[in-house]
Amino acid sequence: MTNTPNENNRRRRSQPKKADKAANKKRNKRIIFSVLSVLVVAVIGYGIYFVYGIIKSTDTFSIEKLVSQEATEMYDAQGGSMGMWGNDEAGTRENITYEQLPQVLVDAVVATEDSRYFDHNGFDLPRIIKAAFGNLLAGDITSGGSTITQQLIKKSYYPDEHTNRWQRKIGEIYLAIQADSQLDKEKILELYLNKIAFGRGNKTIGIQAASKYYFDKDVSELTLPEAALLAGTLNAPDAFDPYYHLEAATQRRDTVLDLMYRHGYISEDEMNATKQIKIENTLKKSANADNDYTNYASYTDTVLSEYYELAKSGKYPELAGLDPLETPMEIHTFMDPDAQSYADSIASGELFNFYDDNLELGASVQDTHTGKIIAVIGGRHYTGVTTPEREAVETAPINYALEKHQPGSSLKPIISYCAAFEFLDWSTGQSVSNEAYTTPEGHKVNNWDFSVGGDVQLQEALRNSLNLPAIHTFNQVLEKITLSDYQKYVEGFGFDLSDESFNTTYSIGSWDHGITPIQGAGAYATLSNNGNYIQPHTIDYIILKDTGTKIDIHNSITPTQALSAESSFMIQQVLKTFAKTQYIGTNINYNLAAKSGTSDWGDEGVRFGIPQGANKDSWFQGYTEDLAVSVWVGYPGSIASAYGYYLSYDQTNFGSKIGAMLIDHIQNGTTVNSYTQPSRSEE
């Protein structure tokens, strides 16, 4: 069938001419180009908008933000470090300056972390591009390539690892360029090395802390193998800590040495020779490298407890709201390292046989003239508070230097007989009633030997620690002064009676709560110090590291007159007549005045299977011209109630024996001063 002319014409018209085809292609190209141009402009515009938005939301650059928080450090009376305490961010950091850095460490860090560090402006584009290509297959072009300056910015501004990676990377670059324009390279490197971690745990934060953690030396003393090890840990601090991953740390150190050789910092011979050195032969842990809060734990925890009381008191407004675990400080104390070490050796059982590991111990040793606490015992195996949450009482071990227990007869000299000297003008030869006595509540008071009737000499009453004479003396004083005035008199020795129901039986040690060894030593120091009470304290002064502000604690403490010099002298004469032979022996060259004491379980113990009258507390209160010592020995209440524990006859003398050991060791058989009888004109 043939096509009609009209059909042929239509076919010819439906086939475009060559010129039309060319026009269509050109038009399509223009459309595609336009679309692509719009897309490119949109992408660039969005990119600019995205970057601008990130930069706009980025924190303003601040040099202060780059400065790392230091840890709090305590110092003993000789200026030696007792250890450093900080939070998870500060660790045991001690900031250093660039001048303290050995050149070998600078070379190792730069060769490993940022070989063009001293050439770029904080952002190294070739390094970024190289890292991006290396990570492209992994699908992450935001990882790696960071300069030392960027790493400093990241640690300072982006500690949260969950921050958007693009946002962090762009922010890093923006802030790093600003940091480089405002700070010299040496300062940036100093800030970086003070901030970064060099191993597992918070004791490796900052180059100085890391140097002490691994090698127990100052950063300025680092050698090539040590510097290479530290530089190597920066890549992965946990993975390359040689205490936990020795083989990996060794391989990483050798890689650092390779890089140092490649960049011309060391020779091939130096590289090869250093690789032969075993890392384990260079390691030397410092005394406090393993555990927190364990170096002189009893004393340091007593210092921290005292600090928190000072901060709350309102007397030192500079300390209000400041926590030494959060705010870097220097806390200068009065701890005598030799005395504290000796006390710790007693507590651990190294120098004393306690017979029973459950038996506990608390003690305080104080300078009688100044109120300075030079040593304490917080417990038999006291390891200190292991977390910053000191307010969480349930997690804190008991510090028995601060724990209250009934004082027994150990306070009879102060509560009864010093009061009689003071208010009744008694002499040391006074006769005291030993007649039977029953309390208003109907409790019959007995002497330990059940003696009763007649009078006894005051000195004999104290020597034999009789209860009846002490109570009768108390009541005679009470006829002269009011109970309220009597309570004020006792509080003048530093005892806290706010939660006590002060009454006659307090004269023989029957308190509601009791006293602490620190209070006991402070009270007996008063007797040695002519009746002047000085609040016991461990802290000399505090310096706030951020501002340099010094808060003087010691010189702000004012002595108060708790007792006349005459009364102090008389009780000293009574107590020293038998203290030497009873507590230490005759072969000593110093004066010792002392009183022991015990308290029993009474009716309460029967419920726990403890025999009637069995002892639960043993005390020693003693002093010389220069030292006052208070020692408590006993079983923790939870142990005693659960297992029926009580002190054996031998154990009731432990407090006296330990007190005598402390005095004898610290006094070292000598005395500096001698007691002088005061003149009546001093009244």
Side-chain angles (χ1 to χ4, degrees), residues 101 139 318 327 404 436 441 582 646:
L101 299 173
E318 305 93 332
T327 302
K404 289 183 175 181
E441 294 77 23
Q582 184 169 349
Y646 57 92

Side-chain angles (χ1 to χ4, degrees), residues 13 15-27:
R13 282 196 296 271
Q15 296 175 359
K17 298 178 180 179
K18 289 184 178 181
D20 292 337
K21 289 182 179 181
N24 287 339
K25 287 182 179 180
K26 190 173 183 179
R27 183 174 65 252

Side-chain angles (χ1 to χ4, degrees), residues 37-151:
S37 298
V38 170
L39 288 174
V40 169
V41 170
V43 169
I44 293 173
Y46 178 77
I48 293 173
Y49 175 78
F50 178 72
V51 172
Y52 174 75
I54 290 176
I55 291 175
K56 190 175 181 181
S57 64
T58 299
D59 288 346
T60 303
F61 176 74
S62 169
I63 295 174
E64 288 72 24
K65 186 111 176 178
L66 307 183
V67 177
S68 301
Q69 182 190 48
E70 289 191 274
T72 288
E73 188 163 14
M74 284 188 199
Y75 299 88
D76 62 33
Q78 300 171 6
S81 177
M82 297 162 58
M84 303 185 78
W85 289 261
N87 55 25
D88 288 340
E89 193 279 327
T92 57
R93 180 190 286 123
E94 179 183 354
N95 288 338
I96 50 87
T97 64
Y98 184 84
E99 287 69 27
Q100 293 174 258
L101 299 173
Q103 188 61 46
V104 68
L105 177 67
V106 174
D107 295 343
V109 171
V110 171
T112 307
E113 292 296 305
D114 189 354
S115 61
R116 288 171 20 90
Y117 173 70
F118 287 101
D119 299 320
H120 60 64
N121 67 342
F123 167 58
D124 192 354
L125 183 59
R127 182 182 174 90
I128 288 285
I129 294 174
K130 181 180 179 181
F133 275 112
N135 292 318
L136 188 60
L137 294 178
D140 180 10
I141 62 171
T142 63
S143 297
S146 293
T147 64
I148 285 175
T149 314
Q150 286 178 256
Q151 293 180 54

Side-chain angles (χ1 to χ4, degrees), residues 610-660:
I610 298 174
Q612 181 76 34
N615 290 309
K616 68 173 182 176
D617 300 299
S618 168
W619 282 92
F620 170 87
Q621 316 282 2
Y623 63 98
T624 66
E625 290 93 331
D626 306 308
L627 290 177
V629 176
S630 177
V631 180
W632 167 84
V633 176
Y635 285 102
S638 59
I639 293 288
S641 60
Y643 302 103
Y645 285 5
Y646 57 92
L647 297 178
S648 67
Y649 176 78
D650 285 345
Q651 290 171 329
T652 59
N653 295 316
F654 281 2
S656 298
K657 291 180 179 179
I658 291 170

Side-chain angles (χ1 to χ4, degrees), residues 353-520:
N353 184 4
F354 290 90
Y355 304 158
D356 184 350
D357 209 40
N358 292 306
L359 195 65
E360 271 299 349
L361 170 68
S364 179
V365 183
Q366 176 182 323
D367 183 301
T368 59
H369 308 292
T370 62
K372 302 174 182 178
I373 299 174
I374 65 173
V376 297
I377 296 175
R380 290 284 314 287
H381 306 288
Y382 193 80
T383 56
V385 176
T386 55
T387 63
E389 292 79 19
R390 292 182 55 83
E391 298 301 323
V393 179
E394 66 274 11
T395 66
I398 296 174
N399 185 339
Y400 287 101
L402 301 170
E403 184 80 357
K404 289 183 175 181
H405 291 93
Q406 290 189 0
S409 298
S410 71
L411 293 187
K412 286 176 181 175
I414 290 176
I415 295 180
S416 290
Y417 301 114
C418 282
F421 295 154
E422 193 78 355
F423 300 110
L424 303 179
D425 292 325
W426 280 11
S427 71
T428 58
Q430 180 74 32
S431 294
V432 188
S433 172
N434 192 40
E435 295 298 328
Y437 179 81
T438 301
T439 68
E441 294 77 23
H443 300 294
K444 185 178 179 180
V445 177
N446 294 312
N447 290 326
W448 66 271
D449 61 357
F450 296 101
S451 63
V452 64
D455 293 340
V456 296
Q457 292 291 308
L458 184 151
Q459 295 189 48
E460 192 66 22
L462 262 178
R463 180 194 299 273
N464 291 315
S465 198
L466 300 178
N467 287 334
L468 291 172
I471 278 202
H472 286 301
T473 300
F474 182 98
N475 285 331
Q476 283 187 255
V477 174
L478 198 55
E479 292 174 4
K480 185 74 176 289
I481 63 175
T482 65
L483 184 64
S484 176
D485 287 338
Y486 212 143
Q487 179 170 328
K488 290 179 182 177
Y489 159 78
V490 175
E491 289 175 332
F493 288 85
F495 297 119
D496 178 14
L497 299 180
S498 58
D499 293 330
E500 303 281 354
S501 53
F502 185 68
N503 57 59
T504 303
T505 59
Y506 276 60
S507 64
I508 58 174
S510 182
W511 294 44
D512 292 336
H513 301 287
I515 69 169
T516 70
I518 285 179
Q519 291 174 337

